[in-house]
Structure formats: structure tokens, C-alpha cells
Short mmCIF file of all heavy atoms in Angstrom, two decimals:
data_model
loop_
_atom_site.label_atom_id
_atom_site.label_comp_id
_atom_site.label_asym_id
_atom_site.label_seq_id
_atom_site.Cartn_x
_atom_site.Cartn_y
_atom_site.Cartn_z
N MET A 1 0.85 -1.17 -0.04
CA MET A 1 -0.01 0.00 -0.03
C MET A 1 0.80 1.24 -0.05
O MET A 1 1.82 1.30 0.77
CB MET A 1 -0.79 -0.06 1.23
CG MET A 1 -1.78 1.18 1.32
SD MET A 1 -3.32 0.88 2.24
CE MET A 1 -2.85 0.81 3.91
N PRO A 2 0.67 2.29 -0.82
CA PRO A 2 1.45 3.33 -1.01
C PRO A 2 1.27 4.34 0.36
O PRO A 2 0.22 4.33 0.89
CB PRO A 2 1.04 4.12 -2.23
CG PRO A 2 -0.35 3.45 -2.64
CD PRO A 2 -0.45 2.18 -1.94
N ARG A 3 2.39 4.96 0.54
CA ARG A 3 2.25 5.87 1.74
C ARG A 3 1.56 7.14 1.43
O ARG A 3 1.65 7.67 0.35
CB ARG A 3 3.72 6.27 2.11
CG ARG A 3 4.14 5.80 3.39
CD ARG A 3 5.63 6.19 3.73
NE ARG A 3 5.52 7.01 4.90
CZ ARG A 3 6.58 7.45 5.54
NH1 ARG A 3 7.79 7.33 5.14
NH2 ARG A 3 6.49 8.12 6.65
N GLN A 4 0.81 7.69 2.41
CA GLN A 4 0.14 8.87 2.34
C GLN A 4 1.04 10.09 2.38
O GLN A 4 2.08 9.99 3.07
CB GLN A 4 -0.97 9.05 3.45
CG GLN A 4 -2.03 7.98 3.45
CD GLN A 4 -2.91 8.12 2.20
OE1 GLN A 4 -3.20 9.21 1.74
NE2 GLN A 4 -3.38 6.97 1.58
N PRO A 5 0.74 11.05 1.56
CA PRO A 5 1.67 12.29 1.70
C PRO A 5 1.67 12.86 3.09
O PRO A 5 0.68 12.93 3.76
CB PRO A 5 1.09 13.23 0.59
CG PRO A 5 -0.05 12.59 0.09
CD PRO A 5 -0.24 11.26 0.64
N THR A 6 2.92 13.41 3.42
CA THR A 6 2.98 13.89 4.86
C THR A 6 2.76 15.35 4.73
O THR A 6 3.29 16.07 3.93
CB THR A 6 4.39 13.49 5.41
OG1 THR A 6 4.63 12.14 5.31
CG2 THR A 6 4.49 14.05 6.80
N THR A 7 1.98 15.89 5.81
CA THR A 7 2.04 17.46 5.92
C THR A 7 3.06 17.86 6.83
O THR A 7 3.21 17.35 7.99
CB THR A 7 0.70 17.77 6.47
OG1 THR A 7 -0.45 17.21 5.55
CG2 THR A 7 0.45 19.21 6.56
N HIS A 8 3.87 18.76 6.33
CA HIS A 8 4.99 19.23 7.26
C HIS A 8 4.37 20.53 8.00
O HIS A 8 3.49 21.23 7.51
CB HIS A 8 6.07 19.84 6.42
CG HIS A 8 6.75 18.58 5.75
ND1 HIS A 8 7.53 17.62 6.36
CD2 HIS A 8 6.68 18.13 4.45
CE1 HIS A 8 8.01 16.61 5.49
NE2 HIS A 8 7.55 17.01 4.38
N GLN A 9 4.96 20.80 9.08
CA GLN A 9 4.47 21.83 10.05
C GLN A 9 4.53 23.25 9.22
O GLN A 9 3.57 23.97 9.29
CB GLN A 9 5.26 22.01 11.23
CG GLN A 9 4.63 23.02 12.27
CD GLN A 9 5.40 22.99 13.54
OE1 GLN A 9 6.38 22.28 13.78
NE2 GLN A 9 4.96 23.85 14.42
N SER A 10 5.58 23.37 8.43
CA SER A 10 5.70 24.66 7.71
C SER A 10 4.60 24.83 6.67
O SER A 10 4.22 25.97 6.31
CB SER A 10 7.13 24.74 7.07
OG SER A 10 7.30 23.66 6.16
N ASP A 11 4.09 23.70 6.22
CA ASP A 11 3.00 23.83 5.21
C ASP A 11 1.67 24.38 5.83
O ASP A 11 0.81 24.98 5.09
CB ASP A 11 2.63 22.39 4.62
CG ASP A 11 3.75 21.81 3.82
OD1 ASP A 11 4.78 22.56 3.43
OD2 ASP A 11 3.76 20.59 3.69
N LEU A 12 1.50 24.31 7.02
CA LEU A 12 0.41 24.68 7.85
C LEU A 12 0.31 26.24 7.87
O LEU A 12 -0.70 26.92 8.05
CB LEU A 12 0.34 24.20 9.13
CG LEU A 12 0.28 22.64 9.27
CD1 LEU A 12 0.34 22.18 10.70
CD2 LEU A 12 -1.17 22.03 8.70
N PHE A 13 1.53 26.91 7.80
CA PHE A 13 1.59 28.28 8.01
C PHE A 13 1.85 29.19 6.78
O PHE A 13 1.70 30.45 6.71
CB PHE A 13 2.73 28.64 9.10
CG PHE A 13 2.41 27.97 10.38
CD1 PHE A 13 3.09 26.90 10.77
CD2 PHE A 13 1.42 28.50 11.09
CE1 PHE A 13 2.75 26.31 12.01
CE2 PHE A 13 1.19 27.93 12.44
CZ PHE A 13 1.78 26.90 12.72
N PHE A 14 2.21 28.52 5.61
CA PHE A 14 2.58 29.29 4.45
C PHE A 14 1.61 28.91 3.40
O PHE A 14 1.35 27.74 3.09
CB PHE A 14 3.98 29.03 4.09
CG PHE A 14 4.93 29.35 4.97
CD1 PHE A 14 5.75 28.46 5.69
CD2 PHE A 14 5.29 30.75 5.32
CE1 PHE A 14 6.60 28.85 6.69
CE2 PHE A 14 6.21 31.02 6.22
CZ PHE A 14 6.91 30.09 6.97
N ASN A 15 1.12 29.93 2.68
CA ASN A 15 0.20 29.74 1.48
C ASN A 15 1.19 29.51 0.27
O ASN A 15 2.30 29.76 0.32
CB ASN A 15 -0.52 31.02 1.22
CG ASN A 15 -1.56 31.29 2.19
OD1 ASN A 15 -1.90 30.46 2.94
ND2 ASN A 15 -2.03 32.54 2.12
N SER A 16 0.53 28.98 -0.77
CA SER A 16 1.35 28.77 -1.96
C SER A 16 1.66 30.17 -2.60
O SER A 16 2.71 30.21 -3.42
CB SER A 16 0.51 27.87 -2.95
OG SER A 16 -0.68 28.48 -3.18
N ALA A 17 0.86 31.21 -2.43
CA ALA A 17 1.13 32.48 -2.86
C ALA A 17 1.53 33.42 -1.81
O ALA A 17 0.62 33.83 -1.05
CB ALA A 17 -0.22 33.02 -3.65
N PRO A 18 2.81 33.68 -1.58
CA PRO A 18 3.14 34.46 -0.39
C PRO A 18 2.71 35.89 -0.61
O PRO A 18 2.64 36.43 -1.65
CB PRO A 18 4.73 34.38 -0.34
CG PRO A 18 5.05 33.89 -1.78
CD PRO A 18 3.94 33.19 -2.38
N GLN A 19 2.31 36.44 0.53
CA GLN A 19 1.76 37.82 0.64
C GLN A 19 2.78 38.70 1.47
O GLN A 19 3.25 38.23 2.41
CB GLN A 19 0.42 37.98 1.30
CG GLN A 19 -0.67 37.07 0.46
CD GLN A 19 -1.95 37.17 1.24
OE1 GLN A 19 -2.15 37.63 2.25
NE2 GLN A 19 -3.04 36.47 0.66
N THR A 20 3.08 39.75 0.96
CA THR A 20 4.03 40.69 1.63
C THR A 20 3.14 41.50 2.61
O THR A 20 2.06 42.07 2.15
CB THR A 20 4.77 41.55 0.66
OG1 THR A 20 3.95 42.38 -0.14
CG2 THR A 20 5.71 40.66 -0.21
N VAL A 21 3.73 41.72 3.72
CA VAL A 21 3.03 42.58 4.75
C VAL A 21 3.81 43.83 4.83
O VAL A 21 5.10 43.98 4.83
CB VAL A 21 3.15 41.96 6.15
CG1 VAL A 21 2.52 42.87 7.26
CG2 VAL A 21 2.36 40.63 6.07
N GLN A 22 3.09 44.94 4.72
CA GLN A 22 3.73 46.32 4.85
C GLN A 22 3.91 46.75 6.25
O GLN A 22 2.90 46.81 6.89
CB GLN A 22 2.83 47.31 3.96
CG GLN A 22 2.89 47.04 2.48
CD GLN A 22 4.24 47.23 1.79
OE1 GLN A 22 5.09 47.96 2.20
NE2 GLN A 22 4.42 46.48 0.79
N ILE A 23 4.97 46.90 6.69
CA ILE A 23 5.35 47.33 7.98
C ILE A 23 5.73 48.84 8.01
O ILE A 23 6.63 49.22 7.22
CB ILE A 23 6.49 46.54 8.69
CG1 ILE A 23 6.15 45.08 8.65
CG2 ILE A 23 6.87 47.09 10.15
CD1 ILE A 23 7.23 44.19 9.10
N PRO A 24 5.03 49.61 8.66
CA PRO A 24 5.28 51.13 8.54
C PRO A 24 6.74 51.43 9.16
O PRO A 24 7.13 50.73 10.06
CB PRO A 24 4.30 51.75 9.34
CG PRO A 24 3.74 50.65 10.25
CD PRO A 24 3.92 49.41 9.69
N PRO A 25 7.36 52.38 8.63
CA PRO A 25 8.73 52.79 9.23
C PRO A 25 8.38 53.33 10.66
O PRO A 25 7.27 53.78 11.03
CB PRO A 25 9.14 53.88 8.37
CG PRO A 25 8.20 54.01 7.31
CD PRO A 25 7.01 53.11 7.50
N TRP A 26 9.41 53.15 11.48
CA TRP A 26 9.37 53.47 12.91
C TRP A 26 8.89 54.88 13.09
O TRP A 26 8.00 55.20 13.95
CB TRP A 26 10.61 53.22 13.57
CG TRP A 26 10.71 53.54 15.09
CD1 TRP A 26 11.27 54.62 15.64
CD2 TRP A 26 10.07 52.78 16.16
NE1 TRP A 26 11.11 54.56 16.96
CE2 TRP A 26 10.41 53.40 17.33
CE3 TRP A 26 9.43 51.50 16.23
CZ2 TRP A 26 9.93 52.99 18.51
CZ3 TRP A 26 9.01 51.14 17.40
CH2 TRP A 26 9.23 51.74 18.46
N GLN A 27 9.50 55.81 12.24
CA GLN A 27 9.19 57.23 12.44
C GLN A 27 7.69 57.61 12.05
O GLN A 27 7.17 58.62 12.40
CB GLN A 27 10.09 58.06 11.61
CG GLN A 27 11.55 57.94 12.16
CD GLN A 27 11.67 58.43 13.58
OE1 GLN A 27 11.10 59.41 14.10
NE2 GLN A 27 12.57 57.80 14.33
N ALA A 28 7.15 56.63 11.29
CA ALA A 28 5.75 56.94 10.80
C ALA A 28 4.66 56.60 11.81
O ALA A 28 3.51 56.93 11.77
CB ALA A 28 5.47 56.17 9.51
N LEU A 29 5.10 55.81 12.84
CA LEU A 29 4.17 55.55 14.03
C LEU A 29 4.04 56.70 14.82
O LEU A 29 4.82 57.52 15.01
CB LEU A 29 4.81 54.38 14.82
CG LEU A 29 4.86 53.05 14.07
CD1 LEU A 29 5.72 52.08 15.05
CD2 LEU A 29 3.59 52.40 13.69
N PRO A 30 2.72 56.86 15.43
CA PRO A 30 2.58 57.95 16.35
C PRO A 30 3.52 57.86 17.62
O PRO A 30 3.82 56.79 17.97
CB PRO A 30 1.08 57.66 16.85
CG PRO A 30 0.51 56.80 15.76
CD PRO A 30 1.60 55.97 15.22
N GLU A 31 3.80 59.11 18.03
CA GLU A 31 4.71 59.16 19.23
C GLU A 31 4.37 58.17 20.35
O GLU A 31 5.03 57.47 20.90
CB GLU A 31 4.89 60.56 19.66
CG GLU A 31 5.86 60.75 20.86
CD GLU A 31 7.24 60.46 20.45
OE1 GLU A 31 7.60 60.63 19.31
OE2 GLU A 31 8.09 60.09 21.43
N GLU A 32 3.03 58.26 20.66
CA GLU A 32 2.54 57.42 21.85
C GLU A 32 2.77 55.86 21.53
O GLU A 32 3.11 55.18 22.53
CB GLU A 32 1.12 57.69 22.11
CG GLU A 32 0.46 56.97 23.18
CD GLU A 32 -0.97 57.28 23.46
OE1 GLU A 32 -1.50 58.22 22.82
OE2 GLU A 32 -1.62 56.55 24.18
N THR A 33 2.57 55.52 20.36
CA THR A 33 2.73 54.18 20.02
C THR A 33 4.22 53.79 20.05
O THR A 33 4.60 52.66 20.67
CB THR A 33 2.25 53.79 18.56
OG1 THR A 33 0.77 54.21 18.39
CG2 THR A 33 2.36 52.46 18.23
N ARG A 34 5.03 54.62 19.64
CA ARG A 34 6.51 54.29 19.79
C ARG A 34 6.91 54.29 21.25
O ARG A 34 7.70 53.40 21.65
CB ARG A 34 7.32 55.49 18.96
CG ARG A 34 7.22 55.26 17.64
CD ARG A 34 8.17 56.28 16.88
NE ARG A 34 7.50 57.56 16.81
CZ ARG A 34 8.12 58.66 16.65
NH1 ARG A 34 9.44 58.74 16.38
NH2 ARG A 34 7.50 59.81 16.63
N ARG A 35 6.46 55.17 22.15
CA ARG A 35 6.84 55.00 23.54
C ARG A 35 6.34 53.88 24.14
O ARG A 35 7.08 53.12 24.92
CB ARG A 35 6.07 56.38 24.12
CG ARG A 35 7.10 57.22 24.89
CD ARG A 35 6.41 58.31 25.70
NE ARG A 35 5.22 58.70 25.10
CZ ARG A 35 4.87 59.92 24.60
NH1 ARG A 35 5.83 60.83 24.86
NH2 ARG A 35 3.83 60.28 24.10
N LEU A 36 5.05 53.42 23.74
CA LEU A 36 4.56 52.17 24.42
C LEU A 36 5.28 50.98 23.89
O LEU A 36 5.70 50.13 24.74
CB LEU A 36 3.02 52.08 23.96
CG LEU A 36 2.39 50.76 24.47
CD1 LEU A 36 2.33 50.66 25.98
CD2 LEU A 36 1.02 50.67 23.84
N LEU A 37 5.65 50.93 22.61
CA LEU A 37 6.39 49.79 22.11
C LEU A 37 7.80 49.73 22.70
O LEU A 37 8.25 48.61 23.04
CB LEU A 37 6.50 49.88 20.61
CG LEU A 37 5.21 49.45 19.77
CD1 LEU A 37 5.44 49.79 18.28
CD2 LEU A 37 4.86 47.93 19.99
N THR A 38 8.40 50.88 22.83
CA THR A 38 9.71 50.87 23.56
C THR A 38 9.73 50.37 24.96
O THR A 38 10.55 49.66 25.36
CB THR A 38 10.41 52.28 23.50
OG1 THR A 38 10.35 52.81 22.12
CG2 THR A 38 11.67 52.39 24.12
N ARG A 39 8.66 50.89 25.63
CA ARG A 39 8.58 50.33 27.10
C ARG A 39 8.29 48.83 27.15
O ARG A 39 8.85 48.15 27.91
CB ARG A 39 7.41 51.02 27.86
CG ARG A 39 7.80 52.29 28.46
CD ARG A 39 6.70 52.90 29.28
NE ARG A 39 5.87 53.51 28.20
CZ ARG A 39 4.80 54.30 28.44
NH1 ARG A 39 4.37 54.30 29.70
NH2 ARG A 39 4.14 54.78 27.56
N LEU A 40 7.38 48.26 26.22
CA LEU A 40 7.19 46.87 26.15
C LEU A 40 8.48 46.07 25.81
O LEU A 40 8.69 45.04 26.42
CB LEU A 40 6.00 46.55 25.24
CG LEU A 40 4.67 47.05 25.69
CD1 LEU A 40 3.74 46.89 24.44
CD2 LEU A 40 4.21 46.33 26.86
N MET A 41 9.22 46.60 24.84
CA MET A 41 10.43 45.85 24.38
C MET A 41 11.51 45.95 25.55
O MET A 41 12.07 44.86 25.83
CB MET A 41 11.06 46.50 23.18
CG MET A 41 10.19 46.39 21.99
SD MET A 41 10.65 47.07 20.37
CE MET A 41 12.02 48.15 20.71
N VAL A 42 11.59 47.00 26.25
CA VAL A 42 12.65 47.08 27.43
C VAL A 42 12.13 46.11 28.49
O VAL A 42 12.96 45.33 29.04
CB VAL A 42 12.58 48.47 27.97
CG1 VAL A 42 13.30 48.52 29.33
CG2 VAL A 42 13.26 49.45 26.91
N ARG A 43 10.84 45.95 28.82
CA ARG A 43 10.30 45.20 29.90
C ARG A 43 10.62 43.59 29.41
O ARG A 43 10.82 42.89 30.30
CB ARG A 43 8.79 45.37 30.13
CG ARG A 43 8.30 44.40 31.23
CD ARG A 43 7.05 44.89 31.71
NE ARG A 43 6.01 44.83 30.66
CZ ARG A 43 4.74 45.04 30.80
NH1 ARG A 43 4.25 45.21 32.14
NH2 ARG A 43 3.78 44.92 29.83
N LEU A 44 10.33 43.42 28.18
CA LEU A 44 10.55 41.95 27.64
C LEU A 44 12.04 41.63 27.86
O LEU A 44 12.34 40.50 28.22
CB LEU A 44 10.15 41.95 26.15
CG LEU A 44 10.36 40.55 25.52
CD1 LEU A 44 9.39 39.58 26.05
CD2 LEU A 44 10.09 40.74 23.99
N ILE A 45 12.87 42.63 27.45
CA ILE A 45 14.32 42.25 27.60
C ILE A 45 14.75 42.17 29.05
O ILE A 45 15.48 41.17 29.36
CB ILE A 45 15.21 43.42 26.91
CG1 ILE A 45 14.89 43.34 25.49
CG2 ILE A 45 16.64 43.30 27.24
CD1 ILE A 45 15.41 44.59 24.72
N LEU A 46 14.21 42.97 29.95
CA LEU A 46 14.65 42.85 31.38
C LEU A 46 14.07 41.59 31.94
O LEU A 46 14.75 40.99 32.87
CB LEU A 46 14.13 44.10 32.12
CG LEU A 46 14.93 45.48 31.63
CD1 LEU A 46 14.45 46.65 32.43
CD2 LEU A 46 16.49 45.29 31.86
N ASP A 47 12.80 41.28 31.61
CA ASP A 47 12.25 40.05 32.20
C ASP A 47 13.02 38.85 31.74
O ASP A 47 13.23 37.93 32.46
CB ASP A 47 10.76 39.87 31.73
CG ASP A 47 9.86 40.84 32.34
OD1 ASP A 47 10.24 41.46 33.43
OD2 ASP A 47 8.72 40.98 32.01
N ARG A 48 13.50 38.90 30.54
CA ARG A 48 14.34 37.71 29.88
C ARG A 48 15.68 37.56 30.71
O ARG A 48 16.10 36.67 31.09
CB ARG A 48 14.54 38.05 28.42
CG ARG A 48 15.57 37.05 27.82
CD ARG A 48 14.95 35.66 27.74
NE ARG A 48 15.89 34.84 27.11
CZ ARG A 48 15.69 33.54 26.96
NH1 ARG A 48 14.58 32.95 27.26
NH2 ARG A 48 16.57 32.79 26.42
N VAL A 49 16.30 38.81 30.90
CA VAL A 49 17.60 38.82 31.62
C VAL A 49 17.36 38.29 33.07
O VAL A 49 18.15 37.42 33.63
CB VAL A 49 18.16 40.24 31.71
CG1 VAL A 49 19.41 40.35 32.71
CG2 VAL A 49 18.63 40.62 30.35
N ASP A 50 16.24 38.86 33.79
CA ASP A 50 15.99 38.33 35.25
C ASP A 50 15.72 36.83 35.13
O ASP A 50 16.22 36.17 36.14
CB ASP A 50 14.76 39.06 35.68
CG ASP A 50 15.11 40.54 36.11
OD1 ASP A 50 16.25 40.93 36.16
OD2 ASP A 50 14.07 41.25 36.19
N GLY A 51 15.06 36.37 34.27
CA GLY A 51 14.83 34.90 34.14
C GLY A 51 15.99 34.10 33.92
O GLY A 51 16.22 33.03 34.55
N ASP A 52 16.89 34.63 33.14
CA ASP A 52 18.28 33.92 32.88
C ASP A 52 19.05 33.88 34.18
O ASP A 52 19.68 32.86 34.52
CB ASP A 52 18.99 34.57 31.73
CG ASP A 52 18.44 34.28 30.40
OD1 ASP A 52 17.48 33.41 30.25
OD2 ASP A 52 18.81 35.07 29.39
N GLN A 53 19.10 34.91 34.92
CA GLN A 53 19.92 35.08 36.08
C GLN A 53 19.32 34.10 37.13
O GLN A 53 20.00 33.45 37.94
CB GLN A 53 19.95 36.50 36.59
CG GLN A 53 20.76 37.29 35.72
CD GLN A 53 20.77 38.79 36.24
OE1 GLN A 53 20.00 39.25 37.10
NE2 GLN A 53 21.52 39.58 35.46
N SER A 54 18.03 33.98 37.23
CA SER A 54 17.34 33.18 38.27
C SER A 54 17.71 31.62 38.00
O SER A 54 17.89 30.92 38.94
CB SER A 54 15.90 33.43 38.45
OG SER A 54 15.20 32.99 37.29
N VAL A 55 17.78 31.39 36.60
CA VAL A 55 18.06 29.96 36.39
C VAL A 55 19.54 29.72 36.62
O VAL A 55 19.86 28.66 37.24
CB VAL A 55 17.82 29.76 34.72
CG1 VAL A 55 18.45 28.36 34.39
CG2 VAL A 55 16.37 29.85 34.52
N GLN A 56 20.46 30.64 36.54
CA GLN A 56 21.80 30.40 36.81
C GLN A 56 21.96 30.31 38.30
O GLN A 56 22.73 29.43 38.78
CB GLN A 56 22.63 31.62 36.32
CG GLN A 56 22.79 31.56 34.79
CD GLN A 56 23.57 32.79 34.31
OE1 GLN A 56 23.81 33.78 35.10
NE2 GLN A 56 23.78 32.95 33.05
N ARG A 57 21.16 31.09 39.07
CA ARG A 57 21.30 30.95 40.64
C ARG A 57 20.79 29.69 41.03
O ARG A 57 21.29 29.03 41.93
CB ARG A 57 20.43 32.12 41.22
CG ARG A 57 21.20 33.32 41.33
CD ARG A 57 20.44 34.46 42.06
NE ARG A 57 20.10 35.53 41.11
CZ ARG A 57 18.94 35.98 40.78
NH1 ARG A 57 17.97 35.65 41.45
NH2 ARG A 57 18.75 36.91 39.90
N GLU A 58 19.69 29.26 40.48
CA GLU A 58 19.14 27.89 40.82
C GLU A 58 20.08 26.76 40.58
O GLU A 58 20.26 25.82 41.26
CB GLU A 58 17.81 27.58 40.00
CG GLU A 58 16.66 28.44 40.62
CD GLU A 58 15.40 28.27 39.75
OE1 GLU A 58 15.39 27.42 38.92
OE2 GLU A 58 14.47 29.01 39.81
N GLY A 59 20.80 26.92 39.32
CA GLY A 59 21.74 25.83 39.00
C GLY A 59 22.92 25.78 39.85
O GLY A 59 23.45 24.68 40.20
N SER A 60 23.37 27.01 40.51
CA SER A 60 24.43 27.01 41.38
C SER A 60 24.27 26.43 42.69
O SER A 60 25.17 25.85 43.29
CB SER A 60 25.00 28.47 41.57
OG SER A 60 23.98 29.16 42.20
N ASP A 61 23.05 26.30 43.11
CA ASP A 61 22.68 25.50 44.32
C ASP A 61 23.02 24.08 44.27
O ASP A 61 23.33 23.50 45.26
CB ASP A 61 21.17 25.76 44.70
CG ASP A 61 20.86 27.24 45.07
OD1 ASP A 61 21.88 27.94 45.23
OD2 ASP A 61 19.70 27.64 45.04
N HIS A 62 22.96 23.49 43.10
CA HIS A 62 23.07 22.10 42.90
C HIS A 62 24.50 21.68 42.67
O HIS A 62 24.85 20.56 42.62
CB HIS A 62 22.15 21.56 41.73
CG HIS A 62 20.78 21.87 41.95
ND1 HIS A 62 20.05 21.28 42.98
CD2 HIS A 62 19.97 22.79 41.25
CE1 HIS A 62 18.78 21.73 42.86
NE2 HIS A 62 18.76 22.72 41.93
N ASP A 63 25.47 22.67 42.58
CA ASP A 63 26.84 22.25 42.33
C ASP A 63 27.59 21.80 43.62
O ASP A 63 28.55 21.05 43.46
CB ASP A 63 27.68 23.53 41.89
CG ASP A 63 27.13 23.90 40.38
OD1 ASP A 63 26.54 23.02 39.72
OD2 ASP A 63 27.33 24.95 39.90
N ALA A 64 27.06 22.04 44.73
CA ALA A 64 27.76 21.72 45.96
C ALA A 64 27.67 20.27 46.35
O ALA A 64 26.93 19.41 45.89
CB ALA A 64 27.14 22.52 47.12
#
């Protein structure tokens, strides 16, 4: 019996006809939007750094 074609995960997310998304330039965004995005990006980065440091601290407890 022949094998059924396999669906790959990437096939689920991409159309056969790719569409381009227009992303506005940073300066074209309203000032309030740029401020909010900047705050969110900083918080994301700092949360990531804090998470990495806590993992390192937890791992150092087990070295003894």
C-alpha cells in the first residue's frame, strides 16, 4: 500500500502564494505608539535577563 503524503508543519503556515506585509517605518508611527512599544520591548528584555539570572542561581545551588 502506498504511503500517504505527509503534511509538514511549515505547510500549515505558508500559502502557496506568499503575501507581503507592509510594516510602517518606525518614524511613521505615532509618538505614543513608539513610546509604548519601547517600554514593552525594554520590559521584555529585562524580564528575559531576570529569568536567565534566576536559572543560573538555581543551578549554582546544585553544584555543591
